[in-house]
Amino acid sequence: TADGGRAGAGLVGVFAALVLVKFALIDRLPNPLRRPGLDQRVLPLSGALGQQPLAVDFAGGVRLHGFDLSTTRLPADGAVEVAWYVSRWQASEARYWPAFRIEDAAGLAWHDPEYLPPRWHREPPATSLWPLDQYAQWARRVALLPGTPPGAYTLMGEVFDLDTLRISSALDAAGSAAAPRLTLGTLTVERPRQPWRLGPDGSGQNLGAVTLLGASVVPAAASAGDTVLLTLDWRSVARAASDDLAHLSLTAAGENRPALALDLPPVSGYGLSQWQPGDEWRGQHWLRLPATLASGTYSLALNLPGLENTAQAAELQVTAPARVFTAPDRAVPVGASFADVGVLTGYTAVASANTLTVTLVWQATATPATAYHVFVHLSDDTGRVWAQSDGTPAGWSRPTTGWIAGEYILDDHPLALPGDLPAGAYSLRVGLYDPRSGQRVPAAGPGAGDSDQVEIGRWRP
């Protein structure tokens, strides 16, 4: 009909207008529907970038100018979109990439690791191709894990090398590594729009007002003194009158007496009295294994106050590390002490074409409650760090929480030497720090300085 023809022509006209708007505006200008891979505006800018301007440099030459957050309050089955405005202040062939975390107060991750850029975002090219006078935008849509309970969480951001997977630390004013991650803000998480479904109906082990749907320990094979992640999935059956704690026991196969017993909330920060019948929640807990555990298979069991039945949660294979109580030979003596951890008795340094391997010799004086990281810095007389190694002692295999007083630990640290390292004398400096807070362990004795790091010797390339 004539009316139908006019309607069809009208729709064609509207479509043509939308296409014109897309090519004339959306594809040419920055806007919420389309972001450029690289903005053509020349740096430095006269104004700020992002809702929350920042000025942070990262090792390797990435600079953060500011960031946007789509929200700071979201349902537990929602997501937050975070966008960084970044540029390069130093040319490099390395390819850098952003990563984001949603953590609770204990440092446990509550984000879905399979996050992607939002649909509106246009990913920039590899950082090695960025001109130094333009900026780009990294954007990601980060969702929460199924079962995440309501509460306050921290959004963290970091930069890492895509090829080596090493984190590029944020730098302080002197150009030294200050922190591996940045705190971007607090997220307030509310109840999900639809209740979580973590297990099929009728499944699980009954523990009165709640049912244990499932449990896991990661890793399932660990060493004495390691910290493992315990995950518990729960279903609320009835209203609970109080915030009872679950009793956990770790028992070796063939034994009756637990090697470890402790009480913990089924879900940290969200007590049983707040659950509604039919709710399903995930609990996550760090579980530090005693340093004195013998090798063997251990079972984890849970129960609640006033109940006779116990839920079998998971099995864990534990290996006791080989311990050495005799000092090794041929180490350069040091003798510096680190409070309530150990003494750095000596070290060796062996250089190859592009690597300096520093082996530290520790003697434990205690079993710390914190798994400290060790850093080794190769720095010049101005304090510039030319090479460094950070991490759990002995290639991540001997956390300080597994040390026993009197034993010796050999701790290798390969330092990758840059090709443009000038000739001259360099200092080797060593320290211990809490990887979560960044707080260093107090150092005293030979070589100890005001910043709780110890100069163990000098080295010439």
Side-chain angles (χ1 to χ4, degrees), residues 245-437:
L245 300 179
H247 183 74
L248 178 144
S249 60
L250 179 70
T251 307
E255 298 288 337
N256 294 322
R257 185 174 181 178
L260 173 67
L262 55 88
D263 294 327
L264 49 79
V267 173
S268 295
Y270 199 60
L272 290 177
S273 64
Q274 298 174 273
W275 299 12
Q276 299 177 13
D279 279 356
E280 295 185 9
W281 302 114
R282 172 168 294 174
Q284 294 191 106
H285 307 273
W286 292 125
L287 183 62
R288 182 163 62 86
L289 305 178
T292 54
L293 283 184
S295 297
T297 301
Y298 291 77
S299 61
L300 278 167
L302 289 163
N303 61 19
L304 288 171
L307 297 177
E308 294 184 359
N309 55 317
T310 298
Q312 298 302 314
E315 280 196 347
L316 179 64
Q317 191 69 37
V318 176
T319 301
R323 303 187 190 275
V324 176
F325 292 90
T326 303
D329 297 329
R330 296 184 300 278
V332 178
V334 179
S337 61
F338 291 83
D340 300 320
V341 180
V343 175
L344 181 57
T345 64
Y347 79 100
T348 60
V350 178
S352 63
N354 54 9
T355 303
L356 175 65
T357 300
V358 179
T359 300
L360 305 176
V361 181
W362 299 95
Q363 185 178 26
T365 55
T367 301
T370 301
Y372 293 110
H373 280 192
V374 177
F375 70 80
V376 179
H377 289 172
L378 182 72
S379 57
D380 60 23
D381 290 337
T382 69
R384 175 178 175 180
V385 176
W386 285 87
Q388 67 184 74
S389 170
D390 292 66
T392 298
W396 300 84
S397 67
R398 291 300 315 273
T400 56
T401 49
W403 293 9
I404 290 179
E407 73 165 318
Y408 290 88
I409 299 95
L410 296 180
D411 179 20
D412 289 340
H413 289 268
L415 307 182
L417 302 175
D420 59 347
L421 183 68
Y426 294 84
S427 294
L428 284 167
R429 300 179 185 275
V430 175
L432 288 166
Y433 68 96
D434 183 336
R436 288 200 61 216
S437 68

Side-chain angles (χ1 to χ4, degrees), residues 226-249:
D226 281 357
T227 299
V228 298
L229 174 62
L230 172 64
T231 300
L232 305 170
D233 289 343
W234 302 92
R235 176 184 293 134
S236 175
V237 178
R239 284 277 191 179
S242 60
D243 294 333
D244 289 334
L245 300 179
H247 183 74
L248 178 144
S249 60

Side-chain angles (χ1 to χ4, degrees), residues 119-189:
R119 292 182 178 179
W120 53 261
H121 178 63
R122 181 186 175 194
E123 194 68 17
T127 54
S128 58
L129 302 177
W130 295 5
L132 298 184
D133 62 347
Q134 295 177 23
Y135 76 87
Q137 187 190 64
W138 282 328
R140 299 293 182 267
R141 185 179 187 274
V142 187
L144 293 156
L145 285 174
T148 297
Y153 296 83
T154 301
L155 177 65
M156 313 287 290
E158 65 187 33
V159 174
F160 69 96
D161 187 318
L162 194 57
D163 298 309
T164 66
L165 301 183
R166 292 179 180 173
I167 294 177
S168 295
S169 295
L171 304 178
D172 59 20
S176 299
R181 299 184 178 93
L182 289 181
T183 299
L184 302 178
T186 299
L187 301 179
T188 301
V189 175

Side-chain angles (χ1 to χ4, degrees), residues 48-58 63-67 84-85 182-184:
L49 283 175
Q51 300 166 347
Q52 302 187 51
L54 277 180
V56 178
D57 286 347
F58 293 87
R63 175 169 292 153
L64 174 62
H65 298 271
F67 65 94
W84 276 13
Y85 297 90
L182 289 181
T183 299
L184 302 178

Side-chain angles (χ1 to χ4, degrees), residues 40-51:
Q40 300 300 314
R41 288 186 287 175
V42 175
L43 296 170
L45 298 173
S46 58
L49 283 175
Q51 300 166 347

